[in-house]
Structure formats: structure tokens, C-alpha cells
Amino acid sequence: SEPQTLATLLGLLETCGASGKGSKPATREVSSIPAMPRFPERLVRCAVGAPELAALLAAHVRATRLVLLLIARTRQLGRNGLLQEAEALPLLAALHRLLVQGAAGRDSVVCAFRSEFLIEWLLHQLEGRLDESFRAAGAATAAAQAPPSVRHLVAILHALLLADPTASVAEGFGSRSLATVLRGLELFEACAGNVEDVEGAEGLRHGSSLEFALDSEGPEGGLGRAVRLGRRSADLACLEQLREVSAQL
């Protein structure tokens, strides 16, 4: 039956490549992805050896496996085609970490989303979460209410649209992507506008950092301040990516 088939697929995806006893393989791998080795000089000289090829293969296998896990869990646990935040966030965060680990990691994610079906899934997840954010609160506070997975989904869409040499995503999903990106801009620009009016926001714009917040005492320091700065930094990075995609489209 279909539920048994999905359960079998998820079991295979979650256990493949696992090592050790008494741990959850999927959670363990997602939370401890090793750093992507960098070898630009050897790549330029087309002298990639066995270790580099193994690293490239591992990155592509990891990205494909994470995407398949997302699709299978959406089919098994999703509601109206949307995967719940608790299920989606660790896997999307792992894909985002691959994106920022150099060209090799980014290309592995782009290749993993090569199918039109997977692009449809990605856009549907982002559209659904934006809709939920706008319904939960007004535009002025919706970005603060937006689930963290929105930032990861935007980062993946940004890579698919700007890093794909074939431009197939922009060609096939340009109009829909632009409409989604404009909604995201409305969400995060409202948040960015409010941040400028909050006490201490000027310090963030002129060099405040997580390290300063953690090392400082009083209302401008402490863990709470660091968390706020981190969230604002993530929002500003997401906003910049949305602007770049909008300009490209």
C-alpha cells in the first residue's frame, strides 16, 4: 500500500550512510554536516583527485537525499501539500548550509532541484508560509511572525534562480517566482522599516555584532540582545536576496 511504501522509502533515506548505535541517523547527519573542502586551484587546473571527487559526490548525494526526504515527508505528513515547520526546518537548514559551503555545495543543491516537480514543491512551501505569516499578523509584524524556514526557502530559491547556468527555473517559473518574491519583499521590507525605528537599530546598521551583544551588559547586551541581532541580520540577508531575485526577474 502507499503508506507502507512511503514508510519504507523514509526508512531507507534516514538510515543510508548512518553510523553509530542509538542515534537517529537523519537528525544526526543533518545537525553535523562536515565542512565542504575547498580546492579552487585544482579545479581550475582540472586536476581533481580522488578525495575531491569523493567530496563532490558526497555533496550531491547529501543534497539529493535531503530533497527526497522533504518530498517523502510532505507526502506522508503534509497538510494541503505543506510540510509542517518542525519537520521541514532541520532539512531546509541543512540544504541552506550546503548552499553557503562554496560553489560545490551550491551546485549540489541546484542539481538536486533540477526537476520541475521539485520547483513546484519549493514554491508551494514558500507561498504557503508567506500566506500563513500574513494571516497571523499584519504586514508590519508578519516578518517577526514568519517561521524560520522562510529564510531557508528564500535562500534556496535565490540560488536556483541566480546560480543555475541554464536559467531553466527563471524561464519556466519566472512569473510565479516574481509574484512570490514580491510578497516576500512586502513582508520583510515592512520589518526592516520597523527595525529602523527601534532603539538600538542604528547601532546594528553601524557595526553592532553578535559578539558585542554577548559580551555587553545591560539592556544593549546579553543573550536576548544577541538573539534579536541574529534574527534581524537573518531578515536583512533574506531581504537582500529577495531584492536580487526581483531585479533579476
Side-chain angles (χ1 to χ4, degrees), residues 32 46 57 84 119 128 149 151 154 160-161 176 179 190 206 209 248:
S32 59
C46 297
L57 179 60
Q84 291 90 336
I119 304 299
S149 62
R151 285 83 172 171
V154 168
L160 294 178
L161 287 167
R176 182 177 175 184
H206 292 288
S209 65
Q248 181 71 17

PDB file of all heavy atoms in Angstrom, residues 32 46 57 84 119 128 149 151 154 160-161 176 179 190 206 209 248:
ATOM      1  N   SER A  32      25.086  17.749  11.850  1.00  0.00           N
ATOM      2  CA  SER A  32      26.547  17.744  11.903  1.00  0.00           C
ATOM      3  C   SER A  32      27.159  17.517  10.533  1.00  0.00           C
ATOM      4  O   SER A  32      27.931  16.600  10.334  1.00  0.00           O
ATOM      5  CB  SER A  32      27.018  16.654  12.867  1.00  0.00           C
ATOM      6  OG  SER A  32      26.541  15.389  12.447  1.00  0.00           O
ATOM      7  N   CYS A  46      41.865  21.614 -13.584  1.00  0.00           N
ATOM      8  CA  CYS A  46      41.217  20.357 -13.983  1.00  0.00           C
ATOM      9  C   CYS A  46      42.008  19.147 -13.486  1.00  0.00           C
ATOM     10  O   CYS A  46      42.158  18.137 -14.198  1.00  0.00           O
ATOM     11  CB  CYS A  46      41.047  20.283 -15.502  1.00  0.00           C
ATOM     12  SG  CYS A  46      39.982  21.568 -16.165  1.00  0.00           S
ATOM     13  N   LEU A  57      30.918  14.135  -4.894  1.00  0.00           N
ATOM     14  CA  LEU A  57      29.873  13.117  -4.935  1.00  0.00           C
ATOM     15  C   LEU A  57      29.075  13.102  -3.643  1.00  0.00           C
ATOM     16  O   LEU A  57      27.845  13.012  -3.654  1.00  0.00           O
ATOM     17  CB  LEU A  57      30.503  11.744  -5.189  1.00  0.00           C
ATOM     18  CG  LEU A  57      29.538  10.548  -5.237  1.00  0.00           C
ATOM     19  CD1 LEU A  57      28.519  10.735  -6.349  1.00  0.00           C
ATOM     20  CD2 LEU A  57      30.307   9.255  -5.426  1.00  0.00           C
ATOM     21  N   GLN A  84       4.916  20.530   7.740  1.00  0.00           N
ATOM     22  CA  GLN A  84       4.939  21.300   8.975  1.00  0.00           C
ATOM     23  C   GLN A  84       6.345  21.810   9.266  1.00  0.00           C
ATOM     24  O   GLN A  84       7.340  21.201   8.925  1.00  0.00           O
ATOM     25  CB  GLN A  84       4.450  20.433  10.150  1.00  0.00           C
ATOM     26  CG  GLN A  84       2.972  20.083  10.094  1.00  0.00           C
ATOM     27  CD  GLN A  84       2.716  18.789   9.339  1.00  0.00           C
ATOM     28  OE1 GLN A  84       3.520  18.395   8.503  1.00  0.00           O
ATOM     29  NE2 GLN A  84       1.603  18.146   9.627  1.00  0.00           N
ATOM     30  N   ILE A 119      10.665  22.096  -8.131  1.00  0.00           N
ATOM     31  CA  ILE A 119      10.498  23.560  -8.119  1.00  0.00           C
ATOM     32  C   ILE A 119       9.078  23.921  -7.692  1.00  0.00           C
ATOM     33  O   ILE A 119       8.864  24.856  -6.913  1.00  0.00           O
ATOM     34  CB  ILE A 119      10.797  24.159  -9.511  1.00  0.00           C
ATOM     35  CG1 ILE A 119      12.200  23.762  -9.981  1.00  0.00           C
ATOM     36  CG2 ILE A 119      10.675  25.681  -9.470  1.00  0.00           C
ATOM     37  CD1 ILE A 119      13.309  24.243  -9.105  1.00  0.00           C
ATOM     38  N   GLY A 128       2.917  29.080   0.768  1.00  0.00           N
ATOM     39  CA  GLY A 128       2.086  28.727   1.919  1.00  0.00           C
ATOM     40  C   GLY A 128       2.543  29.381   3.204  1.00  0.00           C
ATOM     41  O   GLY A 128       1.728  29.865   3.998  1.00  0.00           O
ATOM     42  N   SER A 149      11.865  28.793   8.520  1.00  0.00           N
ATOM     43  CA  SER A 149      12.053  28.093   7.246  1.00  0.00           C
ATOM     44  C   SER A 149      11.901  29.011   6.049  1.00  0.00           C
ATOM     45  O   SER A 149      12.418  28.712   4.967  1.00  0.00           O
ATOM     46  CB  SER A 149      11.074  26.919   7.121  1.00  0.00           C
ATOM     47  OG  SER A 149       9.739  27.374   7.143  1.00  0.00           O
ATOM     48  N   ARG A 151      13.320  31.864   5.590  1.00  0.00           N
ATOM     49  CA  ARG A 151      14.655  32.338   5.215  1.00  0.00           C
ATOM     50  C   ARG A 151      15.412  31.285   4.415  1.00  0.00           C
ATOM     51  O   ARG A 151      16.110  31.598   3.453  1.00  0.00           O
ATOM     52  CB  ARG A 151      15.459  32.705   6.455  1.00  0.00           C
ATOM     53  CG  ARG A 151      15.065  34.025   7.133  1.00  0.00           C
ATOM     54  CD  ARG A 151      13.889  33.853   8.042  1.00  0.00           C
ATOM     55  NE  ARG A 151      13.601  35.033   8.850  1.00  0.00           N
ATOM     56  CZ  ARG A 151      12.511  35.152   9.597  1.00  0.00           C
ATOM     57  NH1 ARG A 151      11.623  34.173   9.639  1.00  0.00           N
ATOM     58  NH2 ARG A 151      12.287  36.240  10.311  1.00  0.00           N
ATOM     59  N   VAL A 154      13.874  30.976   0.858  1.00  0.00           N
ATOM     60  CA  VAL A 154      14.289  32.102   0.021  1.00  0.00           C
ATOM     61  C   VAL A 154      15.723  31.912  -0.453  1.00  0.00           C
ATOM     62  O   VAL A 154      16.051  32.166  -1.623  1.00  0.00           O
ATOM     63  CB  VAL A 154      14.136  33.430   0.783  1.00  0.00           C
ATOM     64  CG1 VAL A 154      14.836  34.566   0.038  1.00  0.00           C
ATOM     65  CG2 VAL A 154      12.660  33.772   0.963  1.00  0.00           C
ATOM     66  N   LEU A 160      18.682  28.875  -6.962  1.00  0.00           N
ATOM     67  CA  LEU A 160      18.127  28.247  -8.164  1.00  0.00           C
ATOM     68  C   LEU A 160      17.962  29.254  -9.303  1.00  0.00           C
ATOM     69  O   LEU A 160      18.154  28.922 -10.474  1.00  0.00           O
ATOM     70  CB  LEU A 160      16.777  27.600  -7.847  1.00  0.00           C
ATOM     71  CG  LEU A 160      16.788  26.408  -6.893  1.00  0.00           C
ATOM     72  CD1 LEU A 160      15.380  25.913  -6.638  1.00  0.00           C
ATOM     73  CD2 LEU A 160      17.660  25.280  -7.423  1.00  0.00           C
ATOM     74  N   LEU A 161      17.612  30.476  -8.957  1.00  0.00           N
ATOM     75  CA  LEU A 161      17.359  31.478  -9.991  1.00  0.00           C
ATOM     76  C   LEU A 161      18.638  32.161 -10.470  1.00  0.00           C
ATOM     77  O   LEU A 161      18.732  32.540 -11.640  1.00  0.00           O
ATOM     78  CB  LEU A 161      16.381  32.522  -9.469  1.00  0.00           C
ATOM     79  CG  LEU A 161      14.926  32.053  -9.341  1.00  0.00           C
ATOM     80  CD1 LEU A 161      14.106  33.040  -8.528  1.00  0.00           C
ATOM     81  CD2 LEU A 161      14.292  31.853 -10.717  1.00  0.00           C
ATOM     82  N   ARG A 176       5.660  33.216 -11.707  1.00  0.00           N
ATOM     83  CA  ARG A 176       5.230  32.763 -10.378  1.00  0.00           C
ATOM     84  C   ARG A 176       6.273  33.102  -9.322  1.00  0.00           C
ATOM     85  O   ARG A 176       5.931  33.532  -8.210  1.00  0.00           O
ATOM     86  CB  ARG A 176       4.974  31.264 -10.412  1.00  0.00           C
ATOM     87  CG  ARG A 176       4.464  30.692  -9.098  1.00  0.00           C
ATOM     88  CD  ARG A 176       4.164  29.222  -9.247  1.00  0.00           C
ATOM     89  NE  ARG A 176       3.791  28.617  -7.977  1.00  0.00           N
ATOM     90  CZ  ARG A 176       3.546  27.329  -7.796  1.00  0.00           C
ATOM     91  NH1 ARG A 176       3.620  26.499  -8.847  1.00  0.00           N
ATOM     92  NH2 ARG A 176       3.228  26.852  -6.613  1.00  0.00           N
ATOM     93  N   ALA A 179       6.042  36.835  -8.462  1.00  0.00           N
ATOM     94  CA  ALA A 179       4.903  37.144  -7.604  1.00  0.00           C
ATOM     95  C   ALA A 179       5.188  36.743  -6.155  1.00  0.00           C
ATOM     96  O   ALA A 179       4.871  37.479  -5.213  1.00  0.00           O
ATOM     97  CB  ALA A 179       3.654  36.424  -8.114  1.00  0.00           C
ATOM     98  N   ALA A 190       8.656  45.674   5.323  1.00  0.00           N
ATOM     99  CA  ALA A 190       7.907  46.246   6.440  1.00  0.00           C
ATOM    100  C   ALA A 190       8.655  46.030   7.742  1.00  0.00           C
ATOM    101  O   ALA A 190       8.744  46.920   8.591  1.00  0.00           O
ATOM    102  CB  ALA A 190       6.515  45.611   6.507  1.00  0.00           C
ATOM    103  N   HIS A 206      25.360  50.214  12.011  1.00  0.00           N
ATOM    104  CA  HIS A 206      26.712  50.775  12.001  1.00  0.00           C
ATOM    105  C   HIS A 206      27.705  49.881  12.716  1.00  0.00           C
ATOM    106  O   HIS A 206      28.650  50.357  13.310  1.00  0.00           O
ATOM    107  CB  HIS A 206      26.700  52.171  12.642  1.00  0.00           C
ATOM    108  CG  HIS A 206      25.953  53.172  11.811  1.00  0.00           C
ATOM    109  ND1 HIS A 206      26.435  53.679  10.625  1.00  0.00           N
ATOM    110  CD2 HIS A 206      24.720  53.724  11.996  1.00  0.00           C
ATOM    111  CE1 HIS A 206      25.556  54.530  10.113  1.00  0.00           C
ATOM    112  NE2 HIS A 206      24.513  54.564  10.920  1.00  0.00           N
ATOM    113  N   SER A 209      27.330  43.831  16.623  1.00  0.00           N
ATOM    114  CA  SER A 209      27.540  42.440  16.259  1.00  0.00           C
ATOM    115  C   SER A 209      27.043  41.534  17.356  1.00  0.00           C
ATOM    116  O   SER A 209      26.765  41.954  18.480  1.00  0.00           O
ATOM    117  CB  SER A 209      29.032  42.173  16.024  1.00  0.00           C
ATOM    118  OG  SER A 209      29.735  42.357  17.235  1.00  0.00           O
ATOM    119  N   GLN A 248      16.635  40.503 -10.922  1.00  0.00           N
ATOM    120  CA  GLN A 248      16.985  39.569 -11.981  1.00  0.00           C
ATOM    121  C   GLN A 248      15.766  39.203 -12.820  1.00  0.00           C
ATOM    122  O   GLN A 248      15.847  39.068 -14.058  1.00  0.00           O
ATOM    123  CB  GLN A 248      17.588  38.300 -11.363  1.00  0.00           C
ATOM    124  CG  GLN A 248      18.031  37.248 -12.374  1.00  0.00           C
ATOM    125  CD  GLN A 248      19.265  37.670 -13.149  1.00  0.00           C
ATOM    126  OE1 GLN A 248      19.972  38.581 -12.727  1.00  0.00           O
ATOM    127  NE2 GLN A 248      19.517  37.038 -14.265  1.00  0.00           N
TER     128      GLN A 248
END
